[in-house]
Amino acid sequence: MSNSVLLFDGVCNLCNWAVRFILKNEKDHLIKFASLQSEPGKKILFENHIPFPGPESIIFIENGKVYSKSEAILFVVRHLKSPWHLLSGLRIFPVSFRDGLYDLIARNRYKVFGKKENCPLPEKKWETRFL
């Protein structure tokens, strides 16, 4: 099993777009995915002693370390093909600044990008990447 799992808001259009983007651009194809609302997602949170963060946060777990919000995104982009992996350099900005920007986007994502009633099923070719 992969040592990298990304937990995301399964009904958020922006989040689902981001997951598809990662699937298309990941260089090693090792990240597994689960929505925060799913039973596997809830189980992963419980097993890692992570309180349910609510759908406004993204969680990335890699080799037992837990990252959330902007830190999660910047650790995920390290797994992407060039030039996308270079975005990890944004870690030079303070976490408070990055998470402030993250929170602004998270608060408005449904208004701007919309949401679905249910988490969409993954494309057949990516089924094995979802928990």
Side-chain angles (χ1 to χ4, degrees):
M1 183 171 151
S2 170
N3 289 323
S4 302
V5 178
L6 181 68
L7 302 173
F8 64 99
D9 179 1
V11 297
C12 169
N13 286 338
L14 175 62
C15 303
N16 280 287
W17 173 87
V19 167
R20 286 190 308 276
F21 181 84
I22 294 165
L23 285 163
K24 291 176 184 174
N25 290 285
E26 187 187 4
K27 59 185 167 195
D28 50 15
H29 307 289
L30 295 177
I31 298 174
K32 297 285 186 177
F33 301 87
S35 77
L36 287 163
Q37 298 92 339
S38 70
E39 289 308 313
K42 291 174 187 174
K43 182 180 178 195
I44 291 167
L45 290 171
F46 178 77
E47 290 173 347
N48 287 278
H49 311 287
I50 305 166
F52 188 78
E56 66 279 349
S57 188
I58 187 171
I59 304 290
F60 184 57
I61 303 168
E62 184 171 48
N63 298 321
K65 292 195 177 215
V66 178
Y67 307 97
S68 64
K69 298 186 177 190
S70 67
E71 215 41 17
I73 292 168
L74 295 178
F75 272 87
V76 167
V77 298
R78 294 180 328 153
H79 293 274
L80 301 182
K81 300 173 188 170
S82 186
W84 303 110
H85 73 282
L86 297 174
L87 291 171
S88 65
L90 293 173
R91 290 190 74 216
I92 63 169
F93 293 102
V95 173
S96 59
F97 172 77
R98 292 181 314 197
D99 280 354
L101 184 58
Y102 178 94
D103 289 339
L104 176 67
I105 293 168
R107 275 192 310 274
N108 295 292
R109 72 191 188 285
Y110 292 154
K111 286 184 247 174
V112 176
F113 300 100
K115 70 184 249 187
K116 301 191 179 319
E117 288 297 314
N118 299 306
C119 181
L121 295 173
E123 290 182 36
K124 190 91 170 144
K125 64 182 175 183
W126 292 326
E127 277 182 344
T128 60
R129 305 286 300 283
F130 286 81
L131 303 174

